Amino acid sequence: MKASFLFISLLCFFAAYVECYRGRGYDPLGKLLRTRKSRKSDNHLTEDVLTEYSPVYIASQDGLKEADQITMLPGQPNVNFDQYSGYVTVDPTAGRALFYYFTEAEDSSSKPLVLWLNGGPGCSSIGSGAMTELGPFRVNPDGKTLWYNEYAWNKVANVLFLESPAGVGFSYSNTTSDYITGDKRTATDSYTFLVNWLERFPEYKTRDFYLTGESYAGHYVPQLADLILQNNKITNQTVINLKGIAIGNAYIDYTDRWTGTYDHFWTSALISDETHLGILQNCNFSSEATDTDICEEYQDKAYEEQGDVFTYDIYAPLCGSNSTAPSLSSFDPCSDDYVFAYLNTPEVQKALHANITGVAGPWEDCNGEVHANWQDEPDTVLPVIKKLMASGISVWIYSGDTDNIIPVTTTRYSMAKLGAPVKTPWYPWYSQEEVGGYVVGYENVTFVTIRGAGHFVPSYQPELASIQCYRGAGGQARDPLGEFIKAQKMKRSVNSYHIQDYASADYTPVYIAPQEGSKKLDEIIGLPGQPQVSFSQYSGYVTVDPKAGRALFYWFTEAEDSSNKPLVLWLNGGKSWPGCSSIGSGAMTELGPFRVNPDGKTLWHNKNAWNTVANVLFLESPAGVGFSYSNTTSDYVTGDKRTAEDSYTFLLNWFERFPEYKTRDFYITGESYAGHYVPQLASLILKNNKITNQTVINLKGVAIGNAYIDYEDEMTGMIDFFWTHALMSDEVHEAIFKNCNFSTMAPISGKCEESLDDADSDMGDVFYYDIYAPLCGSNSTAPSLSQFDPCSDDYVFTYLNTPEVQKALHANVTGTPGPWDSCNYFIFNNWNDQPETVLPVIKELMASGISVWIYSGDTDGRVPVTTTKYSMNKLGAPVKTPWYPWYNQGEVGGYVVEYQNVTFVTIRGAGHFVPSYQPERALTFFSSFLEGKLPPRES
């Protein structure tokens, strides 16, 4: 119980900080793994790491504790706990001594003792763990002063940081050959250190003791724990009172490391399909044989394709970049540089009692010589972990889910190999009222994820970014597309007709009414609370069926230099399902020129609005959505076919109202369920142009984002994304693939429904549409990948229901009772026709010669990037321009691959509503689309 309590307490601090960018750009673990691949057959026996008990060197420690006490570190704020640092000799003959830094808790006598080990191998627990992760101080940018970390682990424990082996940080040896070392000596020296340290601090001899660490400490911690338990047993005494271990983003098993890594690369949209397939076909990570040359080539390509992305946290900012894009972490990405400056200050080293031998050259966070000469490491420490599980101590394995070097997929594969039965099923755990991650209790081992955290978990934010389940609904859980898909599943056999039926081969005359004077009447003089702008706006109604009294509402925002810019139509499918407003969503929370302030009365200017590069037309379709209406009630029972036809009729009439745009280059864009709307409307335009033998509408291209295109791909891609992003349990994942067949035309079985419902339950209060989004209404101040206000829908609802606003917009002219709403659930519940796939239509558009772009924000969980990648494969187009990272403001904005007649683009760090979450990257992508150029390879 004590061990569980400690680790649960530390979870609050796991949600504290994960380092965004180790400022000095060193990747020791990656280098070790790549250089070790050729030696796999020599390194696979973990039992060789530990030896039988032999007498341990123990020296007199009298007076050394007092000598090690730190009076005050230079630039340190005042604190109410004691600190100590210094050397403990572990081999007097070789002159080998390890350096430590110890931070007691304020009420130290009632707290356990925790040892922290950074891996590398060859990296410093002082420079990393203590000064940038879980220690009480962080270094200011001046490199001279410190600030207090209120989430330091010495709030709940007495924390001991050890630099091991000799040669790491301030630890040293007088024998040069000692720097050629490995797992075995690291474990034995660490054990010798502890025995001597406890002589120096005898009050901790019987204290509950825990071992913690990350990365290559996935070797160090289990091996040292095993040695402690063995020696306790052999000596028949509790030399060290070990109660538990916790290892984070831990390198545990060679095979799992590589298999999980490449799975994570692909499902996080970091590598191309071709490279992923090449690795799967040519690499055998379970073999004892060395990798083939072709396997090496594909692995090298996988790293090249990612560009300048920090492999230890795929959403981290880069030190020195000029990007203003938000990050999941508030951690300063240049912190390692500040630590380097601080620990190389003579006054600091003197205060720490460090570098007493006056070693030439600067202190470094990682020792390249130790790393390059690492001699022994097993391919797996799973046998050691199983021994620890059987011993009765507490064993916790945790994983930050945005790490790319030891990703959560890697850890999940290792957990499965442990073979322990589930004791406490998977559930979301909470911090500051938001999902902090997930936990599953197995027999004798616990697995925990920390959501939004990279490799260096304790460096991250104090309050972990969580997710609202329905944007603008005060945090109430709602998943519109999920509900829509479920509602349609029972109709699958009825709705599986081909999309070609939507655009008849015969032209049907379209209703066109006189539009004289309507444009002038539609001009917006000024919206209430609007800042001054230099472009014109129009809004109003276009009748598409006078007999039924059916009229669609639009809002048109011209560019400042409107005459030389193309015309772009934006369609919201909904919040990825039919029945939602392009005004309330697209215009006012995504790509429009204005956003609503929290007062619900005034607007602010969106500098990344798409009307900076185009004239943008927002359409609320079908009738019943937003301000659009019909006088015929039955019109609200509708579907894809009428939506396409009415949108086409709207456009022809709108062009009569705005004749200056008739010959203008025209593009259709949209997201989510507009993955149906956009291709269907484009197909109808092209066919009518062909039938009438004239360019009625000058369509040049389409772009659809996080688009619901294909039912099978949507479901399969979503489930894959959930599992690889640690949003569902192994058991539910397995049940879905056992009980569900998304490729058949038959209705979904009851067992499949149950499994899918279990997947929803596993996730907790996570906003499917951006798995790292903040929660509207929570008290969290956690940073987010997005600067978007999660309560924006509430502000829009208030604003668009203001009579003065409706009057200025020429909206609600019929005085419809009840408030304007962003989504119409009657339409949603009565959607009558939708094909299971629109891939045939997209192929049609590709063959037509227009530009076809499909884009995907990579943190969307509802129509995830995996879903879109499956659909891209089904299109079967050959690659024209291979996958590469594109850049915005000095950082990777996403990835692009150009196929023959279709382009696929990802937007890094964006959820389902791309222009809301990453407005600058979205505008860069959109500008490239309009220019007919691929996104930039450089900023």
Side-chain angles (χ1 to χ4, degrees):
M1 286 298 292
K2 286 183 179 179
S4 294
F5 177 77
L6 174 67
F7 290 146
I8 288 168
S9 298
L10 290 176
L11 280 177
C12 297
F13 298 96
F14 287 168
Y17 280 75
V18 172
E19 176 174 22
C20 286
Y21 183 66
R22 312 298 287 189
R24 303 182 67 77
Y26 189 55
D27 176 15
L29 182 58
K31 289 181 180 178
L32 177 80
L33 294 172
R34 287 192 286 275
T35 57
R36 285 298 180 270
K37 284 187 288 187
S38 61
R39 292 196 244 170
K40 285 176 63 184
S41 58
D42 298 329
N43 291 330
H44 67 276
L45 293 176
T46 190
E47 287 80 6
D48 294 339
V49 174
L50 302 178
T51 61
E52 292 297 321
Y53 178 79
S54 58
V56 174
Y57 165 76
I58 302 177
S60 171
Q61 304 294 323
D62 293 341
L64 294 181
K65 173 183 174 180
E66 291 73 21
D68 285 353
Q69 186 162 14
I70 298 170
T71 305
M72 180 76 75
L73 292 172
Q76 171 199 309
N78 287 325
V79 291
N80 295 319
F81 55 84
D82 290 328
Q83 308 171 75
Y84 302 83
S85 61
Y87 288 92
V88 171
T89 298
V90 295
D91 187 331
T93 303
R96 197 160 69 245
L98 302 186
F99 186 78
Y100 79 92
Y101 170 50
F102 179 45
T103 62
E104 287 191 310
E106 288 187 10
D107 48 349
S108 61
S109 63
S110 63
K111 297 289 193 295
L113 175 64
V114 172
L115 174 68
W116 173 267
L117 298 171
N118 271 85
C123 291
S124 163
S125 295
I126 311 299
S128 295
M131 307 288 296
T132 67
E133 299 191 60
L134 56 134
F137 304 118
R138 299 285 175 84
V139 185
N140 285 311
D142 62 8
K144 299 176 181 178
T145 57
L146 305 175
W147 56 273
Y148 178 61
N149 172 22
E150 63 179 314
Y151 297 95
W153 285 15
N154 74 333
K155 292 268 189 177
V156 294
N158 302 285
V159 185
L160 175 61
F161 300 92
L162 173 62
E163 299 200 295
S164 179
V168 171
F170 291 121
S171 294
Y172 70 92
S173 177
N174 295 326
T175 305
T176 307
S177 61
D178 278 354
Y179 297 148
I180 300 173
T181 188
D183 284 18
K184 183 176 179 179
R185 179 177 287 166
T186 301
T188 54
D189 276 3
S190 296
Y191 181 79
T192 303
F193 165 86
L194 283 172
V195 172
N196 281 273
W197 188 90
L198 289 172
E199 292 297 318
R200 191 174 298 187
F201 291 82
E203 66 271 30
Y204 286 99
K205 278 189 175 182
T206 59
R207 195 73 62 87
D208 287 351
F209 177 66
Y210 297 87
L211 281 171
T212 60
E214 71 195 4
S215 195
Y216 197 80
H219 280 216
Y220 293 168
V221 170
Q223 291 164 354
L224 177 56
D226 190 27
L227 185 56
I228 289 170
L229 293 178
Q230 282 189 42
N231 285 345
N232 282 352
K233 184 176 180 180
I234 292 168
T235 60
N236 198 29
Q237 60 178 315
T238 304
V239 179
I240 299 173
N241 189 24
L242 181 63
K243 294 295 183 179
I245 68 167
I247 47 176
N249 291 85
Y251 177 41
I252 293 172
D253 181 274
Y254 178 92
T255 301
D256 296 340
R257 192 274 167 181
W258 289 111
T259 306
T261 293
Y262 294 119
D263 283 354
H264 185 264
F265 284 4
W266 189 80
T267 58
S268 296
L270 295 169
I271 62 173
S272 67
D273 296 347
E274 295 73 29
T275 296
H276 184 237
L277 182 62
I279 289 171
L280 293 178
Q281 290 178 339
N282 295 290
C283 298
N284 183 351
F285 301 121
S286 63
S287 168
E288 296 305 326
T290 56
D291 292 337
T292 63
D293 288 344
I294 191 167
C295 173
E296 292 277 3
E297 288 173 12
Y298 275 113
Q299 289 183 89
D300 289 343
K301 191 163 183 60
Y303 284 93
E304 290 169 9
E305 286 182 343
Q306 295 178 52
D308 295 332
V309 170
F310 182 46
T311 195
Y312 291 84
D313 182 355
I314 61 173
Y315 297 119
L318 301 179
C319 177
S321 84
N322 61 357
S323 176
T324 57
S327 165
L328 269 174
S329 169
S330 59
F331 184 77
D332 187 331
C334 298
S335 290
D336 269 8
D337 292 339
Y338 315 152
V339 171
F340 179 83
Y342 187 78
L343 290 181
N344 277 294
T345 304
E347 293 78 12
V348 172
Q349 293 185 0
K350 183 178 180 181
L352 284 170
H353 322 118
N355 197 15
I356 55 174
T357 58
V359 176
W363 171 95
E364 285 280 5
D365 190 36
C366 296
N367 186 319
E369 182 185 358
V370 169
H371 164 80
N373 291 286
W374 202 258
Q375 291 298 299
D376 64 289
E377 52 142 334
D379 278 351
T380 183
V381 291
L382 287 170
V384 184
I385 293 174
K386 286 182 179 180
K387 284 171 68 178
L388 299 179
M389 290 162 57
S391 74
I393 68 167
S394 180
V395 178
W396 281 39
I397 299 173
Y398 65 91
S399 184
D401 63 10
T402 62
D403 180 22
N404 205 36
I405 193 74
I406 306 288
V408 68
T409 41
T410 284
T411 308
R412 299 194 77 172
Y413 287 137
S414 293
M415 295 304 299
K417 280 184 178 178
L418 290 174
V422 173
K423 187 176 177 183
T424 303
W426 176 286
Y427 67 89
W429 62 271
Y430 287 81
S431 172
Q432 299 290 339
E433 301 177 2
E434 299 188 349
V435 173
Y438 300 89
V439 60
V440 55
Y442 297 96
E443 196 72 46
N444 302 325
V445 63
T446 299
F447 173 57
V448 183
T449 75
I450 296 85
R451 207 156 63 86
H455 191 72
F456 308 100
V457 169
S459 291
Y460 247 132
Q461 60 250 26
E463 296 173 343
L464 203 144
S466 185
I467 316 299
Q468 72 170 0
C469 292
Y470 179 53
R471 204 175 63 183
Q476 294 177 346
R478 179 119 205 183
D479 173 21
L481 181 60
E483 294 174 19
F484 177 73
I485 290 172
K486 287 180 181 179
Q488 296 298 317
K489 278 188 293 193
M490 301 313 294
K491 305 179 193 176
R492 291 183 69 200
S493 59
V494 178
N495 288 332
S496 61
Y497 39 72
H498 291 202
I499 187 69
Q500 285 86 340
D501 295 340
Y502 284 96
S504 172
D506 299 321
Y507 179 75
T508 304
V510 176
Y511 166 77
I512 300 179
Q515 303 294 327
E516 287 83 11
S518 296
K519 173 183 173 181
K520 185 171 181 58
L521 292 173
D522 286 355
E523 186 168 11
I524 298 171
I525 307 303
L527 294 172
Q530 171 198 309
Q532 287 210 339
V533 291
S534 301
F535 56 83
S536 299
Q537 308 174 72
Y538 302 84
S539 60
Y541 288 92
V542 171
T543 298
V544 295
D545 186 332
K547 184 178 289 188
R550 197 159 71 248
L552 302 185
F553 185 78
Y554 78 92
W555 182 20
F556 179 45
T557 61
E558 286 190 310
E560 288 188 10
D561 47 350
S562 61
S563 63
N564 64 359
K565 295 285 193 298
L567 175 65
V568 173
L569 174 68
W570 173 269
L571 298 172
N572 271 84
K575 298 237 165 52
S576 74
W577 56 289
C580 290
S581 164
S582 296
I583 310 298
S585 296
M588 305 211 73
T589 67
E590 299 190 63
L591 56 133
F594 304 119
R595 299 279 176 87
V596 185
N597 285 311
D599 61 9
K601 298 176 182 179
T602 57
L603 305 175
W604 57 273
H605 183 230
N606 171 21
K607 66 178 181 178
N608 294 297
W610 287 12
N611 77 330
T612 58
V613 293
N615 302 286
V616 184
L617 175 60
F618 299 93
L619 174 62
E620 299 199 296
S621 179
V625 170
F627 291 121
S628 295
Y629 70 92
S630 176
N631 295 326
T632 305
T633 307
S634 60
D635 279 354
Y636 297 147
V637 179
T638 188
D640 284 18
K641 184 175 182 181
R642 178 176 285 167
T643 301
E645 292 170 345
D646 278 2
S647 296
Y648 182 76
T649 302
F650 164 86
L651 284 172
L652 292 190
N653 282 273
W654 189 89
F655 280 120
E656 292 299 316
R657 192 173 298 188
F658 292 81
E660 65 271 31
Y661 287 97
K662 276 189 175 182
T663 58
R664 196 73 60 90
D665 287 352
F666 178 65
Y667 297 86
I668 311 175
T669 59
E671 70 195 4
S672 200
Y673 197 80
H676 280 216
Y677 292 169
V678 171
Q680 291 164 354
L681 176 57
S683 176
L684 187 56
I685 289 171
L686 293 176
K687 286 185 177 178
N688 284 344
N689 282 353
K690 185 177 182 180
I691 291 168
T692 60
N693 199 29
Q694 60 178 314
T695 305
V696 180
I697 298 174
N698 189 24
L699 180 64
K700 294 295 184 180
V702 301
I704 48 176
N706 291 85
Y708 179 42
I709 293 173
D710 181 275
Y711 175 85
E712 179 185 6
D713 296 340
E714 157 63 19
M715 298 305 293
T716 305
M718 182 178 65
I719 300 308
D720 284 353
F721 186 87
F722 286 177
W723 189 83
T724 57
H725 287 71
L727 295 169
M728 68 161 59
S729 67
D730 296 347
E731 294 73 30
V732 169
H733 185 245
E734 184 179 341
I736 289 172
F737 280 98
K738 179 181 178 182
N739 298 317
C740 300
N741 185 349
F742 301 123
S743 63
T744 66
M745 290 299 110
I748 297 299
S749 69
K751 283 189 175 180
C752 177
E753 288 279 2
E754 288 176 15
S755 299
L756 293 171
D757 289 342
D758 288 341
D760 291 339
S761 299
D762 273 358
M763 292 176 69
D765 294 334
V766 170
F767 184 42
Y768 283 91
Y769 297 82
D770 184 351
I771 62 171
Y772 299 119
L775 176 66
C776 177
S778 82
N779 61 3
S780 173
T781 57
S784 164
L785 272 172
S786 167
Q787 292 169 339
F788 182 75
D789 187 330
C791 299
S792 291
D793 272 6
D794 293 340
Y795 315 152
V796 171
F797 180 84
T798 300
Y799 187 78
L800 290 181
N801 277 294
T802 304
E804 293 77 12
V805 172
Q806 294 185 0
K807 183 178 180 181
L809 284 170
H810 322 118
N812 197 16
V813 293
T814 58
T816 303
W820 172 92
D821 214 337
S822 181
C823 299
N824 186 320
Y825 284 90
F826 184 85
I827 286 178
F828 160 73
N829 289 319
N830 290 279
W831 200 260
N832 267 352
D833 64 288
Q834 58 143 345
E836 295 209 351
T837 183
V838 291
L839 288 171
V841 187
I842 294 174
K843 288 182 179 180
E844 209 180 274
L845 299 179
M846 290 162 58
S848 74
I850 69 168
S851 178
V852 179
W853 282 36
I854 299 173
Y855 66 94
S856 184
D858 63 10
T859 62
D860 179 21
R862 176 39 76 197
V863 186
V865 67
T866 42
T867 281
T868 308
K869 293 187 86 171
Y870 286 138
S871 291
M872 296 305 297
N873 283 332
K874 283 185 177 178
L875 289 173
V879 173
K880 187 177 177 183
T881 303
W883 178 283
Y884 70 86
W886 61 270
Y887 284 81
N888 180 68
Q889 289 192 324
E891 294 196 349
V892 173
Y895 300 88
V896 59
V897 55
E898 181 187 20
Y899 298 95
Q900 198 71 41
N901 302 325
V902 63
T903 298
F904 173 57
V905 182
T906 75
I907 294 83
R908 179 170 164 248
H912 193 75
F913 311 101
V914 168
S916 294
Y917 299 129
Q918 291 291 344
E920 291 174 355
R921 292 173 183 174
L923 182 58
T924 297
F925 141 76
F926 177 64
S927 299
S928 297
F929 165 66
L930 293 181
E931 292 169 5
K933 300 176 182 177
L934 295 179
R937 291 178 182 268
E938 298 177 356
S939 287

